[in-house]
C-alpha cells in the first residue's frame, strides 16, 4: 500500500510534527515500507481466532481503591517546561 | 402532544441523543493511587502515572470497575464479562500522555434503558446504547495570565463513566427528564454524586431535526453542557438554528459546537476540525478486563432498592397517591425519612406531613432533609399524638412550629403548653351553650333556615376552647344541642 502526499501531511498534523515539503516524498517511501511489512499479517488465515489485545493470556490485575499516592507537587512539576506556583504553565491554549 | 418547532415550511421534529459523563465515586483514580477527591491544592492529587512520566504503568482500580457494573445493573443493561481499554489520541495541554484511556470497541456495559416521566404523566423508555469507563482530563485555567494557560492535573485520571443514549428523545423536556432520572439512579446506587456544579456530571448533546416520517438528518454535537437547564436550552437553540439553515436552502454540517448560555447560542468549534480522528487502538499497557459472573451476581444482590421500585412499593405498602410517592423518592434521604415516619403509622398522614408541613419548614429555614430541625422519629411522635387523640390536627401544626424552633419533643410541648385536646363532653357542651347565648341573632337566622351557620358555631366554639376542642365531638354535640333546643 502506498500513501499519497495528502495523507502524509494529515498524519504529520495529527501527530503535531512539522514536516517540510522536501521530506514528504522520503516519508511516503519509508512509511510505505513499514505498512507493507505489517501487511504481511494479512496473509494469515485467522478464521475462528479470537482477537487479542496483547500477547499475554492473563487478565487484568485489579488494585484496591486506596489513596497511596499524591502530595508530591515538586516531583510532578520537576520536568515541566514552565510553571507558575503549583501549576504547569504552557503557551495559551484557549479556544 | 408531541413537541415540534414550527418553521415556515411546517413543523419539524427533534431527534436528540445524549452522552453523559458521570464521575465515578471512588477514593482513588481509575489507574493510579492518587486521590480522586474534588478540589485540593493544585497538582497535589497527582501521581507520576497521571502526569505521564516515562515508564509509569496504569493499574486499574477494582472499585471503579464495580461502580460501572453497579450502574449498568441499575440501567437494566447487559454486563460484558470481557471488555478492553483503548487509547484515544489527541493533543491538549491538560492531557499529559497525549491520549485518554477509554473503551471504544469493547465497553464494560452494553445496551440498557432509562424510564422517564414527563410533567403531564407520560412515560417513555429511553434506550442506553452503552456505558464505558474512561479517564477524565486535567483542568486548564486561562484567565490568570495574558500569555499562558495554567494546568492543574488533580482531575486527570479520575474515573468517568460515559453513558451513551440512543437517539430516542424528541424534546428538550425529555432530555431534561432523562438526565434527571439518570442522576437519580446513580445517586441511589452511590456510583456518582451527580453534582453538576463541581462537574461530576456533564453532557454532550447530539441534535438533529427532520420532517415527520423522514430518516435522520445530519446532527451536530454540543460539547460539555454542565446543567440540566442548559441542556434543554442548548437543544432548543440548536434545533432552531438547524431549521433556519434547512429552510433557507442550506445544508447542516456535522460538527462540534459549544453552547454559550450568556448569548443563548451555539458556536462552531472550528479549531477542532481534526479532533474526530482519534486513531483508537488497544492500549498495550492493559490486558483485557475479565469479570466473573459470580462477582457480578454478588454486586447485583447488594444493590439498593431503586427509585421506580421504591415509588411503586410506597404506593402499595402505605396507600399514598402515586404523585406523592414520586416526590418522596426523588431523594433517597427523603424516602428514608418518610419511611421512618410512616412505618407502623398511617402512611397517608405521614406523607401529608412530610410533603406539606416538613417541606415548607425546610424551605423556610433553608435546611435540607438531612439537617432537618425535626427528626423523623420526632415527627412520628407528633403523629402518634394526633392518632391517639391527645391533640387535634390544628394544634398539631402549632406544636410542629415549636418543634421546628426548639427541637423539643411533641409530647413535652403539649404538656408544657397544656395543649391536650378536650374530650370532656360537659366542657364542650358548656362552651357551645355560651357561644349560642352570645350569638342569639345568628341562632335565630340558623333556625329560619340559614344552615350554613353551623360551621360558624363550630368555629366560635373551637375559638372559645382556644383550639383545643376535639373537632368531631364539637360537631356531634353542636348538632345534638341545636336539635334539642
Amino acid at each position: 500500500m502506498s500513501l499519497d502526499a495528502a495523507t502524509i501531511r494529515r498524519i504529520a498534523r495529527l501527530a503535531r510534527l512539522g514536516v517540510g515539503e522536501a521530506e514528504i516524498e522520503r516519508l511516503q517511501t519509508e512509511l510505505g515500507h513499514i505498512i507493507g511489512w505489517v501487511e504481511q499479517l494479512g496473509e494469515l488465515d485467522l478464521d475462528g481466532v479470537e482477537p487479542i489485545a496483547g500477547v499475554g493470556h492473563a487478565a487484568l490485575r485489579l488494585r484496591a481503591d486506596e489513596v497511596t499516592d499524591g502530595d508530591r507537587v515538586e516531583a510532578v512539576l520537576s520536568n515541566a517546561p514552565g510553571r507558575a506556583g503549583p501549576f504547569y504553565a504552557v503557551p495559551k491554549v484557549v479556544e | 402532544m408531541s413537541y415540534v418547532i414550527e418553521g415556515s415550511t411546517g413543523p419539524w421534529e427533534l431527534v436528540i441523543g445524549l452522552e453523559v459523563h458521570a464521575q465515578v465515586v471512588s477514593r482513588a483514580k481509575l489507574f493510579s493511587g492518587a486521590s480522586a477527591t474534588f478540589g485540593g491544592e493544585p497538582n497535589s492529587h497527582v501521581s507520576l502515572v497521571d502526569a505521564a512520566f516515562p515508564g509509569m504503568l496504569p493499574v486499574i482500580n477494582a472499585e471503579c470497575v464495580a461502580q460501572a457494573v453497579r450502574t449498568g445493573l441499575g440501567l437494566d443493561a447487559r454486563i460484558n464479562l470481557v471488555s478492553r481499554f483503548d487509547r484515544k489520541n489527541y493533543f491538549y495541554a491538560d492531557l499529559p500522555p497525549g491520549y485518554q484511556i477509554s473503551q471504544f470497541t469493547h465497553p464494560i456495559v452494553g445496551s440498557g434503558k432509562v424510564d422517564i416521566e414527563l410533567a403531564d404523566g407520560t412515560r417513555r423508555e429511553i434506550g442506553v446504547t452503552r456505558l464505558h469507563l474512561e479517564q477524565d482530563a486535567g483542568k486548564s485555567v486561562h484567565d490568570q495570565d495574558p500569555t499562558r494557560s495554567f494546568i492543574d492535573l488533580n482531575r486527570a485520571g479520575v474515573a468517568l463513566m460515559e453513558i451513551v443514549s440512543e437517539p430516542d428523545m424528541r424534546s428538550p423536556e425529555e432530555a431534561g427528564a432523562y438526565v434527571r432520572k439518570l442522576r437519580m439512579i446513580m445517586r441511589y446506587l452511590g456510583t456518582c454524586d451527580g453534582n453538576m456544579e463541581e462537574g461530576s456530571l456533564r453532557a454532550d448533546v447530539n441534535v438533529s431535526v427532520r420532517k415527520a416520517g423522514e430518516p435522520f438528518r445530519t446532527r451536530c454535537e454540543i460539547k460539555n453542557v454542565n446543567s440540566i437547564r442548559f441542556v434543554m436550552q442548548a437543544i432548543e437553540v440548536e434545533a432552531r438554528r438547524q431549521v433556519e439553515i434547512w429552510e433557507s436552502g442550506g445544508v447542516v454540517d456535522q460538527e462540534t459546537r459549544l453552547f454559550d448560555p450568556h448569548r443563548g447560542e451555539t458556536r462552531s468549534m472550528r479549531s477542532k476540525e481534526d479532533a474526530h480522528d482519534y486513531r483508537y487502538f488497544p492500549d498495550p499497557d492493559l490486558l483485557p478486563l475479565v469479570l466473573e459472573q459470580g462477582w457480578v451476581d454478588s454486586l447485583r444482590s447488594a444493590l439498593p432498592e431503586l427509585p421506580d421500585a421504591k415509588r411503586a412499593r410506597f404506593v402499595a405498602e402505605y396507600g399514598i397517591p402515586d404523585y406523592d410517592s414520586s416526590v418522596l423518592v426523588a431523594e433517597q434521604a427523603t424516602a428514608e425519612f418518610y419511611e421512618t415516619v410512616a412505618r407502623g403509622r398511617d402512611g397517608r398522614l405521614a406523607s401529608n406531613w412530610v410533603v406539606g408541613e416538613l417541606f415548607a419548614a425546610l424551605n423556610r429555614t433553608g435546611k435540607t432533609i438531612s439537617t432537618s430541625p425535626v427528626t423523623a422519629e420526632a415527627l412520628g411522635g407528633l403523629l402518634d399524638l394526633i392518632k391517639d387523640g391527645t391533640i387535634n390536627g390544628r394544634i398539631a401544626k402549632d406544636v410542629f412550629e415549636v418543634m421546628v424552633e426548639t427541637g423539643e419533643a411533641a409530647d413535652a410541648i403539649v404538656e408544657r403548653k397544656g395543649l391536650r385536646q378536650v374530650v370532656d363532653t360537659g366542657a364542650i357542651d358548656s362552651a357551645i351553650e355560651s357561644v349560642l347565648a352570645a350569638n342569639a341573632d345568628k341562632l335565630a337566622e340558623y333556625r329560619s333556615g340559614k344552615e350554613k351557620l353551623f360551621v360558624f358555631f363550630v368555629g366560635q366554639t373551637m375559638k372559645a376552647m382556644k383550639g383545643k376542642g376535639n373537632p368531631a365531638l364539637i360537631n356531634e354535640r353542636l348538632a345534638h344541642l341545636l336539635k334539642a333546643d
Side-chain angles (χ1 to χ4, degrees), chain A residues 10 13 63 65 71 86 92, chain B residues 43-44 60 142 145 274 277:
Chain A
R10 178 173 168 76
R13 191 170 66 246
R63 176 172 54 81
D65 182 28
D71 285 325
K92 200 137 190 147
Chain B
N43 290 308
S44 63
I60 198 164
H142 302 298
D145 188 283
D274 281 328
D277 195 343

Side-chain angles (χ1 to χ4, degrees), chain B residues 79-378:
Chain B
I79 306 301
N80 293 323
L81 295 181
V82 179
S83 66
R84 212 175 64 186
F85 289 93
D86 300 288
R87 291 186 179 179
K88 177 179 179 176
N89 300 280
Y90 67 94
F91 289 108
Y92 204 72
D94 55 25
L95 186 77
Y99 59 85
Q100 175 194 37
I101 303 177
S102 181
Q103 297 188 296
F104 186 53
T105 48
H106 295 85
I108 186 166
V109 175
S111 62
K113 67 180 174 70
V114 172
D115 290 316
I116 62 166
E117 185 175 328
L118 306 180
D120 67 1
T122 315
R123 295 189 189 195
R124 282 203 61 202
E125 182 181 307
I126 306 299
V128 169
T129 314
R130 57 184 280 166
L131 175 155
H132 67 253
L133 276 168
E134 63 182 28
Q135 299 174 297
D136 204 348
K139 189 174 85 176
S140 301
V141 184
H142 302 298
D143 55 5
Q144 300 290 305
D145 188 283
T147 60
R148 297 181 301 171
S149 292
F150 294 166
I151 311 293
D152 173 10
L153 296 181
N154 281 353
R155 229 175 49 191
V158 169
L160 299 179
M161 296 177 282
E162 178 170 330
I163 303 163
V164 182
S165 84
E166 293 289 316
D168 282 352
M169 286 157 275
R170 295 289 175 270
S171 70
E173 190 196 359
E174 289 185 4
Y178 170 81
V179 178
R180 261 193 296 274
K181 187 63 176 288
L182 201 54
R183 181 172 64 173
M184 196 199 291
I185 291 170
M186 291 190 292
R187 280 185 174 162
Y188 265 71
L189 292 167
T191 57
C192 171
D193 67 21
N195 188 333
M196 296 187 96
E197 290 76 47
E198 291 180 359
S200 322
L201 199 67
R202 320 190 279 274
D204 296 344
V205 186
N206 286 286
V207 182
S208 64
V209 297
R210 66 176 176 187
K211 296 285 192 170
E214 275 186 357
F216 295 149
R217 295 196 183 202
T218 311
R219 65 185 158 83
C220 289
E221 180 181 16
I222 310 157
K223 281 273 184 201
N224 247 325
V225 189
N226 61 5
S227 83
I228 291 171
R229 194 161 56 89
F230 289 163
V231 165
M232 296 169 68
Q233 285 176 6
I235 290 168
E236 185 171 349
V237 163
E238 174 60 17
R240 287 189 187 285
R241 185 188 72 89
Q242 293 180 14
V243 166
E244 268 173 41
I245 292 176
W246 291 121
E247 292 195 332
S248 61
V251 172
V252 171
D253 293 323
Q254 178 162 351
E255 61 177 355
T256 304
R257 301 180 67 84
L258 276 180
F259 177 61
D260 181 341
H262 302 295
R263 296 192 189 179
E265 62 178 30
T266 64
R267 272 200 304 277
S268 179
M269 294 170 74
R270 285 190 189 81
S271 59
K272 295 231 167 170
E273 57 183 5
D274 281 328
H276 282 298
D277 195 343
Y278 291 126
R279 291 149 295 144
Y280 283 98
F281 65 89
D283 191 321
D285 288 340
L286 292 160
L287 292 162
L289 175 59
V290 179
L291 311 178
E292 300 285 339
Q293 184 60 49
W295 182 71
V296 173
D297 293 341
S298 70
L299 290 178
R300 186 195 300 275
S301 60
L303 288 187
E305 183 180 37
L306 289 173
D308 286 348
K310 198 183 278 291
R311 175 173 164 178
R313 183 171 62 78
F314 278 7
V315 170
E317 202 169 317
Y318 298 110
I320 58 174
D322 185 56
Y323 175 77
D324 293 23
S325 189
S326 75
V327 172
L328 291 169
V329 305
E331 296 283 342
Q332 213 167 7
T334 309
E336 258 173 53
F337 190 105
Y338 168 70
E339 207 159 16
T340 307
V341 178
R343 198 171 287 127
R345 298 193 179 93
D346 179 338
R348 266 178 191 264
L349 185 67
S351 163
N352 290 340
W353 274 84
V354 171
V355 175
E357 304 300 318
L358 180 74
F359 279 9
L362 294 179
N363 268 337
R364 209 171 52 235
T365 55
K367 299 274 173 85
T368 68
I369 196 85
S370 44
T371 60
S372 170
V374 177
T375 64
E377 289 75 13

Side-chain angles (χ1 to χ4, degrees), chain A residues 7-28:
Chain A
T7 305
I8 299 290
R9 285 192 199 96
R10 178 173 168 76
I11 293 169
R13 191 170 66 246
L14 286 170
R16 300 294 189 272
L17 294 174
V19 173
E21 282 302 309
E23 293 169 283
I24 287 183
E25 202 171 320
R26 183 173 56 79
L27 282 168
Q28 266 178 280

